[in-house]
Every structure is written in C-alpha cells, then in structure tokens.
Amino acid sequence: MQKDIDSKLNAKNIKPTAMRQLVLQVLTKQSTAISLPELENKFEKADKATLYRTLKTFEKNKLIHSIDDGTGSIKYALCKDSCECHPDDLHVHFLCTHCNQTYCLNDISVPNINLPSSFSLESVNMVVKGICSVCSK
Amino acid sequence: MQKDIDSKLNAKNIKPTAMRQLVLQVLTKQSTAISLPELENKFEKADKATLYRTLKTFEKNKLIHSIDDGTGSIKYALCKDSCECHPDDLHVHFLCTHCNQTYCLNDISVPNINLPSSFSLESVNMVVKGICSVCSK
DNA sequence: ATAATCTTTGCAACCCAGTTGCATGAACTT
DNA sequence: AAGTTCATGCAACTGGGTTGCAAAGATTAT
Ligand SMILES: [Mn+2]
Ligand SMILES: [Mn+2]
Ligand SMILES: [Zn+2]
Ligand SMILES: [Zn+2]
C-alpha cells in the first residue's frame, strides 16, 4: 500500500521521494536482509550512489538497521516499529551458509556479556552461521 | 626465541620460511589482533600478496584465527595452543571504538543460542564494541 | 510569479581490502 | 644434474563502499 509506505517515511521524518518509496517497497517485501549490490539488482536501472544514500538516510532515521554478517557486504533490514536502535533492541542475526540469506532473529536478544574490568560496552554484533529452515528441508 | 617460532610452525605443519618466521614473530609480539594492511606497515618493504598468502596458510593450519570486527579489514590473532578452531574454541572479541584495537577475550566463550526450529548452527561471530581498558584510563 | 535557497539525484571518479595470474626463484626428489 | 614442487614478488584486477560535482527538483522568501 502506497499509503503505508508514505506514512512510514513520514513517521521517521524522511521526505517521501519517488526513489525512497521504491526502496522502502523493496525492503518491505523482503523477508531477509538485503545488501546494496542486491538492492541495485532489484531495479532495471538505478544509480548505486543514490541507493547508497537512500539506505544511509533510512539508517540514520532508524527506519532500517545494518548487519555485518561477514560476507563482505553490509545488509539492511527494516526495524520493528518499536525499535529505537538502542542496545535493548539488539537482536541476533543468522546467516545461512547455503543460500547466503541473512535473517533478523528479532525474538532472540543478544545475551549479556561480563567484560573484563575497565572494559565498557557500547554495542554487540552477534551473527550465527548455519543452515536456515528453508535450506534444511 | 627463534627456536619457539620454528617449533610452532613445525607443530602446525608449516614450512618455516624466512617470511613466515618474520610474520609469526610480529604476531607473537602483538597483544591485539592485526589486519593485513597493518601487517604490511610493520615491514619496511614486503609484498602484500605474500603476506596475504602467509596469513591464509597460517589460518588454514590453525595457527591463527580471523576476526571480522566490522571495521572493514579482517584481523588475525594467534590461536591458543589448545585451540582447534572448533565451535568449543569460539570466544568473544572486543573492538575498542577509541583505539580501534581488537582483543581476543579468550576466557569468554560465546553464549549458547536457541535457534528457531529447523535452523542449525555451525559457528558464531560475536564482537562487542566499547572502550578498552587502555583507553578508559 | 520570480528569484534565491536547499535537497535530492545521476554520473563519474576514486578508495581500499582482498584476491588472482604469472613468471621468477628456492627448495626438495629422482 | 635435471625435474618437480612450493614460495615469493610484481602487477593487475575485483567489488563494495564512498565522494565531488553539476543538473534537476522542491521549498521558501521577495
Ligand atoms: Mn535485524
Ligand atoms: Mn580471538
Ligand atoms: Zn538458507
Ligand atoms: Zn582502546
């Protein structure tokens, strides 16, 4: 729904340009995280830099979050409505070594870690690798 | 000790060439993980490709392990003697956002995760970001 | 409405870590 | 000594990410 798209953009204070609407549409359809190169391929003809800056804008305004799954390209996924990208919102990600898809395990929050003394914690990146439910059939 | 260097290489079935001795020396002196570009800088004049292949050999033979801390360059650190790079040997890594150093927290093993059904686990990458003990003084 | 200003877009160029091909050189085998 | 295997050095390339800059579009002030 175009309405939903625009209101989501508005809710995060992002001006709803044509490009941004299209990108958000792709992200919404997506059930797994997507990288910039993958996003490029979803369009017949689109400029990498524009898509790049669109993703950066989305990320800055907390519409999406980025995931470094170690594959060499950063992936992006929609934040939950409730998400503020605070430490509390951190969840585990899963990379399937078979299909290369990256899943947000939104229900699995990153476990607490007791750091050595005088180490302070800012954020945690936790990526589990294995075989996803689709590929394990 | 040159003796130690060679015996370590031998123990992992790596032929002790001059280059490999030098690289292992650097790695041994190092208290934090080091990247390929950083390793390059430790030498007056050394070929990137050779260093690259040296690291790959070391990693394949489980003398070192690699760490993707999200900074854009893979870092490498010596394995503990006991390490076989099995899931059991997995430990947490710490990236200081101030000095950009990456630490092996060898004593902190990666916590267990209960994956959704029909997801299977192969390995886990867990990187904690924050301020290290040196920088928090 | 027009002009001035700010934002977004498209294109090209660049950066940099990582990687590969290939030829030379060193070290073992026969 | 000749042949084979392995290691090294150099150069070239890849691919994701990033930036400069000018044109186009949208917003605001006059
Ligand atoms: Mn996620
Ligand atoms: Mn480590
Ligand atoms: Zn899969
Ligand atoms: Zn530090």
Side-chain angles (χ1 to χ4, degrees):
Chain A
M1 311 289 131
Q2 191 60 27
K3 255 312 183 33
D4 291 356
I5 297 285
D6 281 8
S7 63
K8 266 196 183 177
L9 289 171
N10 274 319
K12 301 283 182 175
N13 287 310
I14 302 165
K15 275 193 237 169
T17 68
M19 198 71 245
R20 289 168 179 175
Q21 290 168 340
L22 288 171
V23 171
L24 180 50
Q25 238 165 52
V26 170
L27 287 167
T28 306
K29 279 188 204 143
Q30 203 73 12
S31 70
T32 52
I34 189 173
S35 68
L36 173 57
E38 284 164 357
L39 184 60
E40 258 186 286
N41 291 334
K42 295 268 176 184
F43 295 95
E44 198 58 40
K45 179 191 163 299
D47 179 48
K48 191 172 53 152
T50 303
L51 294 174
Y52 170 75
R53 288 189 271 234
T54 301
L55 290 174
K56 284 292 177 188
T57 301
F58 283 9
E59 188 181 19
K60 183 155 58 73
N61 293 36
K62 298 177 179 170
L63 177 58
I64 63 178
H65 62 281
S66 65
I67 306 149
D68 185 345
D69 60 10
T71 54
S73 51
I74 309 286
K75 293 181 182 167
Y76 300 88
L78 283 181
C79 289
K80 293 279 156 195
D81 288 337
S82 58
C83 172
E84 282 297 327
C85 292
H86 289 153
D88 302 338
D89 298 311
L90 290 175
H91 53 266
V92 175
H93 291 102
F94 184 92
L95 169 66
C96 178
T97 54
H98 188 258
C99 65
N100 209 41
Q101 296 295 304
T102 299
Y103 296 76
C104 285
L105 304 182
N106 284 296
D107 298 336
I108 307 182
S109 56
V110 171
N112 259 15
I113 295 291
N114 281 325
L115 292 174
S117 64
S118 44
F119 279 69
S120 71
L121 184 147
E122 280 170 13
S123 69
V124 182
N125 181 34
M126 187 166 187
V127 177
V128 177
K129 285 200 240 182
I131 305 293
C132 78
S133 58
V134 176
C135 292
S136 67
K137 274 186 192 150
Chain B
M1 316 278 133
Q2 189 61 28
K3 256 307 184 35
D4 292 354
I5 296 286
D6 281 8
S7 63
K8 265 194 182 177
L9 289 171
N10 274 320
K12 300 285 184 175
N13 287 308
I14 302 165
K15 276 193 237 170
T17 67
M19 199 70 245
R20 288 167 180 175
Q21 289 168 343
L22 289 172
V23 171
L24 180 50
Q25 241 165 49
V26 172
L27 287 167
T28 305
K29 279 188 208 142
Q30 202 73 14
S31 71
T32 51
I34 190 173
S35 68
L36 173 56
E38 284 164 355
L39 184 59
E40 258 187 286
N41 292 333
K42 296 266 175 186
F43 295 95
E44 199 57 40
K45 179 191 164 299
D47 179 48
K48 190 173 52 154
T50 304
L51 293 175
Y52 169 75
R53 287 187 272 234
T54 300
L55 289 174
K56 284 291 176 187
T57 302
F58 283 8
E59 188 181 17
K60 184 154 59 70
N61 293 35
K62 295 176 181 171
L63 177 58
I64 63 177
H65 62 280
S66 65
I67 306 148
D68 184 344
D69 61 11
T71 54
S73 51
I74 309 288
K75 293 181 181 167
Y76 299 88
L78 283 181
C79 289
K80 292 280 154 194
D81 288 339
S82 60
C83 172
E84 283 297 328
C85 293
H86 290 152
D88 302 338
D89 298 310
L90 291 176
H91 52 266
V92 174
H93 291 102
F94 183 92
L95 168 66
C96 177
T97 54
H98 186 259
C99 64
N100 210 40
Q101 297 295 304
T102 299
Y103 296 77
C104 285
L105 304 182
N106 284 296
D107 298 336
I108 307 181
S109 55
V110 171
N112 260 14
I113 295 291
N114 281 325
L115 292 173
S117 64
S118 43
F119 279 68
S120 71
L121 183 148
E122 280 171 12
S123 69
V124 181
N125 181 36
M126 186 166 188
V127 177
V128 177
K129 285 200 239 179
I131 306 293
C132 77
S133 57
V134 176
C135 291
S136 68
K137 273 184 195 151

